[in-house]
Amino acid sequence: MAKRRAKGEGGVYERKDGRWAGQYVVETATGPKRRYVYAKTRKEAAAKLRKAMGERDAGMAFEAGSLTVGEFLDSWLNDSVRGSVRQRTWDRYEQLCRVHIKPALSRVKLKVLTPAHLQRLYRQKLDSGLSRRTVQYIHATLRRVLGQAVRWGLIPRNVAEAVDAPRPNRGETRPLSPEQARAFLQAAHGDRYEALYVLALTTGLRQGELLGLRWEDVDLDGGELQIRRTLVTRSGEHTFGEPKTARGRRTVALVPMATDVLRSHRERQRDVGLWYPGGLVFTTSKGTPVDPQNMTCRSFRPLLKRAGLPEIRFHDLRHTAATLMLSGGVHPKIVQEILGHAQI
């Protein structure tokens, strides 16, 4: 039979199995919930209860409960991130969670996740051949996810802060040399996307910014263009969104070579009936937005091969533009503004 609780012990009682339990209540986002501590003696149970209630009153009661990493990832993606970032960024988070994080950690309870879990995940991904850059993205995503869990009071600390992500290989960013850039443009001469490649190498515009350009954004007489939107492609559907950063909305000066090739490009569009003032600068043969992946596979990579150049990413043309400008003596601050970077 359970003994009467001593004064000040709160909810301490003896269980049928002979153990002692302490019961207290915690307010959660879904309402009050009971919590328990257990011990072999009344004194130990009372001490545990006082500690637990003290932590609760100090705001240190963490309520992850039986919540798993997979369940929290779903909640984070749909309740916290969706609508607060660009669609392309959300798609990247969702892909990293679905393809890389959830298969390894989905069933692990959030409250027992440790740095060792993350370190093991990174090691497995590297050993499977995944690039260091992608593993870095996985780490950055987990840091943000777990940081949110800490702010919501679900866990006491962000275990990703205790794990070092692998540094990317220097070779993962491969800008072309001036000679290689010339060879690439020679190979692109006459290509339907020649003007796009010239703009990429002389302005450093992002692929989505290039494919989102409309003729109303381009002032050939004034030698400049406005970046007002970016093309976002998801599951074959094309939409137009805001530039990546606040500095992304910018005016970019055009070199004479770029204005000349854009004039020729506009004339070719007029000849086939694809040009109108508010229309896209770069389109398919049907006048629809260009799918970035199709352009990369059907035009960009074949041109690299024709020019005898190593296979690089389209984004490396942006790095090439920055390198060429800096090596040509352009001040880093001006390069930052041209590229639309938030920081030098």
Side-chain angles (χ1 to χ4, degrees):
M1 181 176 177
K3 298 179 182 178
R4 291 177 60 85
R5 298 192 299 269
K7 185 178 179 180
E9 286 185 338
V12 176
Y13 61 93
E14 188 176 15
R15 291 161 45 100
K16 290 182 180 180
D17 61 5
R19 290 194 302 163
W20 287 82
Q23 174 184 303
Y24 64 107
V25 175
V26 172
E27 291 294 332
T28 72
T30 58
K33 290 185 179 180
R34 293 178 181 176
R35 292 290 181 263
Y36 301 87
V37 295
Y38 301 97
K40 293 181 179 180
T41 67
R42 175 198 290 253
K43 184 177 180 180
E44 290 175 356
K48 284 187 175 182
L49 180 60
R50 285 195 298 272
K51 180 180 179 182
M53 293 176 67
E55 290 179 346
R56 177 200 63 186
D57 296 340
M60 296 173 61
F62 303 102
E63 294 304 310
S66 61
L67 189 68
T68 65
V69 172
E71 290 168 340
F72 185 70
L73 285 172
D74 291 338
S75 174
W76 176 77
L77 282 169
N78 294 302
D79 300 338
S80 178
V81 180
R82 187 186 292 275
S84 66
V85 298
R86 297 165 71 244
Q87 183 62 48
R88 188 171 180 177
T89 302
W90 188 92
D91 290 341
R92 181 60 168 156
Y93 282 142
E94 190 277 333
Q95 180 194 43
L96 290 169
C97 291
R98 172 172 45 83
V99 176
H100 299 295
I101 301 174
K102 291 178 74 172
L105 302 176
S106 184
R107 297 183 180 181
V108 178
K109 288 187 177 180
L110 184 63
K111 65 182 179 181
V112 301
L113 188 69
T114 67
H117 283 108
L118 306 192
Q119 200 73 69
R120 189 179 307 117
L121 169 63
Y122 302 162
R123 184 71 267 160
Q124 290 172 348
K125 291 300 177 181
L126 291 171
D127 290 345
S128 71
L130 201 64
S131 73
R132 288 173 173 263
R133 176 68 70 184
T134 302
V135 177
Q136 263 203 334
Y137 288 145
I138 293 172
H139 176 68
T141 300
L142 281 168
R143 281 186 63 183
R144 180 164 180 175
V145 169
L146 298 175
Q148 186 68 70
V150 172
R151 290 190 293 275
W152 283 353
L154 297 174
I155 52 177
R157 67 172 183 139
N158 184 342
V159 297
E161 300 285 357
V163 181
D164 292 326
R167 293 183 179 180
N169 293 326
R170 287 182 174 272
E172 288 188 31
T173 299
R174 292 177 292 178
L176 300 176
S177 68
E179 294 74 19
Q180 289 176 321
R182 280 193 290 271
F184 176 75
L185 290 180
Q186 288 172 359
H189 183 66
D191 187 273
R192 64 174 298 145
Y193 297 122
E194 178 185 5
L196 183 146
Y197 296 128
V198 170
L199 281 180
L201 284 171
T202 57
T203 65
L205 296 185
R206 300 176 177 90
Q207 190 176 33
E209 293 172 340
L210 289 163
L211 297 179
L213 276 177
R214 295 185 181 276
W215 282 111
E216 63 191 9
D217 303 325
V218 181
D219 179 4
L220 293 179
D221 293 331
E224 64 182 27
L225 56 79
Q226 303 283 332
I227 302 300
R228 296 181 174 131
R229 71 191 63 79
T230 183
L231 178 70
V232 179
T233 302
R234 183 188 184 193
S235 302
E237 297 294 326
H238 305 294
T239 59
F240 296 95
E242 292 292 316
K244 185 175 181 180
T245 65
R247 289 182 176 272
R249 297 182 68 90
R250 62 198 188 279
T251 299
V252 178
L254 299 173
V255 298
M257 176 186 182
T259 57
D260 291 344
V261 75
L262 279 170
R263 283 195 174 91
S264 298
H265 178 75
R266 186 174 61 183
E267 290 305 312
R268 285 195 294 270
Q269 278 194 331
R270 277 183 170 145
D271 291 342
V272 295
L274 294 178
W275 180 87
Y276 61 96
L280 290 169
V281 175
F282 303 108
T283 71
T284 66
S285 59
K286 297 179 180 180
T288 56
V290 176
D291 185 278
Q293 188 172 359
N294 286 344
M295 190 201 73
T296 297
C297 294
R298 299 175 185 177
S299 174
F300 180 59
R301 288 177 183 165
L303 286 176
L304 289 171
K305 187 174 181 180
R306 188 187 310 168
L309 298 174
E311 187 170 305
I312 61 173
R313 306 166 303 164
F314 186 93
H315 195 72
D316 286 321
L317 297 184
R318 181 168 163 83
H319 292 294
T320 300
T323 301
L324 294 176
M325 283 186 273
L326 291 170
S327 63
V330 180
H331 193 280
K333 181 64 176 177
I334 296 177
V335 176
Q336 173 206 350
E337 293 173 353
I338 293 173
L339 297 178
H341 280 163
Q343 299 175 358
I344 289 182

